[in-house]
Amino acid sequence: RGPLAAALLACCAVVPAECLVQRPRPPMVLLPGFGNNAADYIQGLPARRGQERPPSICENLAERGVNLAVLPVERTDWARGILGRVASGSFWAYEETPATLFGWYLQLVDEVVRAEVERTGERVVLVGHSAGGWLARAALADGTWMGEGTTRSRDLVAGLVTLGAPHFPPRPDTPLKDMTRGALSQVDSCYPGAFLKSEGISYVTVCGTGLSNPTGYEQVTGFRGGDGDGVVPLEAAHLEGALQLTLPGCFHSVTFPTSWYGSPQFLDVWLKEAVAPA
């Protein structure tokens, strides 16, 4: 994907040796959310006038000895992937799958995860922000990595942490349809809950309650009201069988650099659980 993508990927993979000695952590792969790019997590937002730039989630994790790789996603990839499917009948019939609509993303997940396992000699923990959370479940599939071939997901992945991930399509008793044109519905139907927990893969679902009762939650669940992180409500973010962490005051997006999932006060809560044995 070119030198820029390689640089972005490598940026978070280099951790000071003293950090790794003092606080050994399993390697992690961060899966960006819909519309985000790798730089949002590596560099964070630019500093506001007269203020210092808040550390990015990548920098905060590096300080804690985490060996992190960020999926080299570019913002335009999302639109290009969807536009490539608009002419298909399955797009309008809401019969898309993760492989058909987000195949480009899953290919990156496969490449980066395999590279990190080979480089470190350890299984990785997937950290999926927003849509990256349910797309990680698509990659884990039924226990066969990416749902094909002979590689078992448990041989590559030790655990999954989702940060404000919308794990469910709108309820069937509402007029709303799956905004992913069927891809999320398939994941929810085929791999419900902490689907591979019995195979030794840990699941941690994290959701903030930074904003109550916005009408925006209606687009996710089909109903107004409830607590959530400003984009995803609690009822859509937690999986049955997972360790469920609710973070009061935490917001969904990196646009709240001091009060989102990557901020130190919230990151420390889920990081402790993310590295615990399955």
Side-chain angles (χ1 to χ4, degrees):
R1 294 174 63 81
L4 177 59
L8 289 173
L9 181 59
C11 177
C12 286
V14 179
V15 180
E18 61 271 19
C19 291
L20 292 174
V21 171
Q22 294 173 5
R23 292 178 296 243
R25 309 277 195 183
M28 293 185 170
V29 175
L30 194 151
L31 280 58
F34 187 85
N36 287 110
N37 65 6
D40 292 338
Y41 305 91
I42 295 173
Q43 301 167 359
L45 296 181
R48 295 179 179 178
R49 180 174 297 180
Q51 299 180 2
E52 293 185 0
R53 179 182 67 82
S56 68
I57 185 173
C58 182
E59 292 165 335
N60 283 330
L61 286 170
E63 284 186 359
R64 289 154 176 80
V66 174
N67 185 0
L68 179 75
V70 179
L71 217 64
V73 172
E74 299 177 9
R75 220 176 298 279
T76 54
D77 289 339
W78 298 99
R80 186 161 50 245
I82 291 173
L83 288 174
R85 295 295 300 170
V86 168
S88 68
S90 58
F91 184 89
W92 298 105
Y94 289 84
E95 295 176 349
E96 292 285 354
T97 69
T100 58
L101 192 59
F102 298 104
W104 63 271
Y105 189 100
L106 294 175
Q107 182 178 348
L108 285 178
V109 175
D110 183 43
E111 292 172 358
V112 174
V113 167
R114 288 182 184 276
E116 285 301 291
V117 171
E118 182 177 357
R119 187 178 68 83
T120 65
E122 298 181 63
R123 296 188 300 161
V124 304
V125 173
L126 301 179
V127 179
H129 175 230
S130 197
W134 69 263
L135 284 166
R137 294 167 60 206
L140 293 170
D142 61 356
T144 301
W145 180 243
M146 295 291 164
E148 59 185 19
T150 59
T151 302
R152 299 298 295 173
S153 299
R154 67 188 178 206
D155 294 335
L156 299 175
V157 177
L160 169 63
V161 180
T162 66
L163 309 175
H167 284 299
F168 310 103
R171 299 174 184 174
D173 56 344
T174 72
L176 293 182
K177 292 187 176 182
D178 182 355
M179 290 186 292
T180 70
R181 318 301 287 199
L184 175 56
S185 294
Q186 188 200 58
V187 172
D188 180 44
S189 174
C190 295
Y191 323 123
F195 193 70
L196 299 178
K197 186 176 180 180
S198 64
E199 295 196 21
I201 295 178
S202 64
Y203 287 73
V204 180
T205 54
V206 187
C207 189
T209 53
L211 191 61
S212 297
N213 201 31
T215 58
Y217 293 157
E218 187 175 13
Q219 298 301 312
V220 179
T221 64
F223 291 93
R224 297 189 179 190
D227 291 325
D229 64 9
V231 175
V232 176
L234 275 174
E235 64 179 283
H238 286 319
L239 291 173
E240 183 177 355
L243 175 62
Q244 301 177 0
L245 301 178
T246 299
L247 306 178
C250 181
F251 290 91
H252 184 84
S253 176
V254 67
T255 55
F256 295 87
T258 60
S259 55
W260 82 294
Y261 298 107
S263 305
Q265 70 273 28
F266 299 122
L267 182 150
D268 286 333
V269 176
W270 59 259
L271 178 60
K272 178 177 66 175
E273 304 298 343
V275 300

